[in-house]
Amino acid sequence: MLKQKHRVTNWAEYNESLRRRGNLTVWISEEPLALWSGPRRTKPGGQPVYSDLPIETCMTLGMVFRQPLPQTQGLMCSISKLLGVEIAVSSFPILSRRGNGPAGIQLAVDSTGLMIHDASEWREEKHKTERKWRSWRKLHLGLDLVSSEIACSDLTIDGVGDSTALPGLLDQIDAPADLFLADGAYDRDPTCDLLLERFGEGIEIVIPPRKNAMLSPDAAQNPTICDRQIFKIKGYGRIAWQNTSGYKQRSRSETLMGRWKVVIGTKLKARSFENQRTEARIVVRLLNRMTEFGRPSLERTAGIPSRVRRVPNWRRSVQHDLCNSNST
C-alpha cells in the first residue's frame, strides 16, 4: 500500500489558526463564579474553600504555559486582578494536594476520655470526701492526615468501645478513603469488613495485631489483612513494620487529642448528654477553623520569601525592611 500524502492547501486559514493559538484572551462568565466556592458540607468536618473548578482551571493554565505551581498561582492572581474579578485563588500547596484528582482521605482514628463537670467535684472540695466513681464521656475523633482537619467525631458514654463507635464515624465521611490508621483496639474482623464495604478494596488498613494474635486457618492460601500484618511483623520486627507501613503517622491523632485538652480543656461544661454532644461538635468546628487560619494565605505572605516565612524570628525584621522600602 502506497503511503498517503497530505498537503496543506488552505495556508491562509492554517497560519491564522496557528496565530490564534498564541492569542491571550481570557474571560470569566457568571456561571463559573457561582461554582467557584466549594459546596458546604452537611456533616461535621472541615469546610472546603474551593471546588474542583478552580483547581482544574489553575492546573489547565499551568499545563498550557508550562509553568510550575507557584508561577501558576501568580498568573491566576494577575488575571483576576486585570479582569477586576474578586475570586479566591488557591495556593500552590493546595494545587499540589488536589491536583492528583479526587483526593482520598487518609484517616487516623483515636479516642480519649473527657470528664463531666458536675456538682460532685464541688462536694469533694467542700466536704473533703472522695467519690466512689468518676463520670466520663468518650470522645472519638477521626483526623484527615491530608488536610490536618477533623473529618469525623462522636461523643459517647465511657462504656462504648472504639470498634463499636466506628460505624457512626464513617457515616460522617462522604469522600473516598485511601488509608485507615488505628491502634490495637480496632483489631477486629468486623472492623476490616466494614472498611472494605464502605471504601472498597483500594483502602489500605494499618492496624497493629495483638501480641498473641493467631493466624487464620486459611492464612497460607487466602490471608486476611491481619494475617498479612502478622507475616510482616514476624519477618521484619514490629519497629520495622511501623516504619514501612506508615503506622507512625497515627501519633498525629494523639497530638490532636493533646491539642484538644490544651486549648479547650479536659472537662465538658454541659450537663445533659445531648448538650455535651453539641458542645463537642462546636469544638470540632473551632479546631478546624484554627487549623484553617494556621495555613499561610497569599495576602499575608505576599512579597515575603518562603524561606523567611518558616523562621518566625526573622518576621519582624523582614516586615520592617518592607515598610521602609514602601515608604521610600
Side-chain angles (χ1 to χ4, degrees):
M1 181 179 296
L2 298 177
K3 183 178 181 180
Q4 297 181 1
K5 296 182 180 179
H6 299 278
R7 295 182 180 180
V8 179
T9 57
N10 52 346
W11 282 102
E13 297 178 1
Y14 179 71
N15 292 333
E16 182 62 24
S17 65
L18 293 179
R19 284 191 291 268
R20 283 199 300 267
R21 292 181 185 180
N23 186 15
L24 184 60
T25 303
V26 180
W27 70 92
I28 300 179
S29 60
E30 296 296 333
E31 291 80 7
L33 293 180
L35 301 175
W36 199 266
S37 301
R40 186 168 183 81
R41 293 182 57 179
T42 58
K43 298 179 180 180
Q47 300 297 333
V49 181
Y50 311 99
S51 63
D52 295 337
L53 178 62
I55 304 299
E56 183 179 357
T57 303
C58 294
M59 299 298 294
T60 303
L61 291 176
M63 293 296 295
V64 170
F65 297 103
R66 298 181 180 180
Q67 290 183 337
L69 295 182
Q71 283 79 357
T72 302
Q73 178 187 355
L75 175 63
M76 196 64 194
C77 291
S78 62
I79 290 175
S80 62
K81 184 177 180 181
L82 292 174
L83 297 179
V85 180
E86 296 183 358
I87 55 177
V89 180
S90 60
S91 60
F92 63 89
I94 297 180
L95 293 177
S96 176
R97 186 167 62 244
R98 296 181 58 180
N100 296 327
I105 292 179
Q106 297 183 4
L107 192 64
V109 179
D110 202 354
S111 62
T112 186
L114 296 178
M115 291 186 296
I116 300 177
H117 186 74
D118 54 5
S120 57
E121 295 185 0
W122 177 82
R123 296 194 208 95
E124 180 183 1
E125 181 68 21
K126 179 70 175 179
H127 301 286
K128 305 299 180 181
T129 59
E130 295 184 0
R131 288 177 290 177
K132 297 181 180 180
W133 63 84
R134 286 182 177 268
S135 300
W136 294 83
R137 293 289 183 260
K138 202 168 186 179
L139 177 65
H140 307 266
L141 294 179
L143 175 66
D144 184 6
L145 300 177
V146 179
S147 62
S148 300
E149 294 180 348
I150 302 175
C152 52
S153 63
D154 194 10
L155 188 72
T156 62
I157 59 177
D158 55 354
V160 176
D162 295 343
S163 58
T164 306
L166 184 60
L169 296 177
L170 298 182
D171 290 339
Q172 304 174 20
I173 299 176
D174 51 1
D178 299 334
L179 178 65
F180 179 83
L181 296 176
D183 55 10
Y186 296 87
D187 183 23
R188 301 290 187 274
D189 292 336
T191 300
C192 298
D193 297 338
L194 177 63
L195 292 172
L196 294 176
E197 180 183 356
R198 294 289 181 92
F199 304 108
E201 299 291 337
I203 185 173
E204 181 181 0
I205 303 174
V206 181
I207 300 176
R210 298 182 297 273
K211 294 183 178 180
N212 57 351
M214 302 296 293
L215 295 173
S216 61
D218 198 14
Q221 298 179 356
N222 189 16
T224 62
I225 296 178
C226 183
D227 292 337
R228 298 191 191 101
Q229 307 292 354
I230 294 175
F231 285 142
K232 293 179 181 179
I233 292 176
K234 288 184 177 180
Y236 304 101
R238 186 171 290 269
I239 301 299
W241 171 81
Q242 293 180 1
N243 295 330
T244 56
S245 62
Y247 180 73
K248 287 187 174 181
Q249 289 291 326
R250 198 193 63 83
S251 61
R252 294 176 56 181
S253 62
E254 298 178 355
T255 304
L256 174 63
M257 301 297 178
R259 179 189 176 199
W260 181 299
K261 295 182 179 181
V262 170
V263 177
I264 306 302
T266 60
K267 299 179 181 179
L268 294 168
K269 297 181 180 179
R271 296 181 180 264
S272 63
F273 181 62
E274 293 299 328
N275 291 344
Q276 291 168 359
R277 301 188 70 179
T278 303
E279 179 183 348
R281 288 193 293 265
I282 294 175
V283 175
V284 167
R285 297 192 186 99
L286 173 62
L287 293 180
N288 286 339
R289 192 67 172 173
M290 295 174 63
T291 303
E292 181 182 351
F293 286 154
R295 298 193 182 100
S297 63
L298 181 63
E299 293 78 7
R300 295 200 305 265
T301 59
I304 303 178
S306 59
R307 61 181 180 87
V308 178
R309 292 200 301 268
R310 296 192 187 98
V311 184
N313 295 332
W314 294 2
R315 185 169 296 174
R316 293 184 179 179
S317 61
V318 172
Q319 292 179 352
H320 178 71
D321 295 339
L322 290 176
C323 294
N324 291 338
S325 61
N326 293 332
S327 60
T328 55

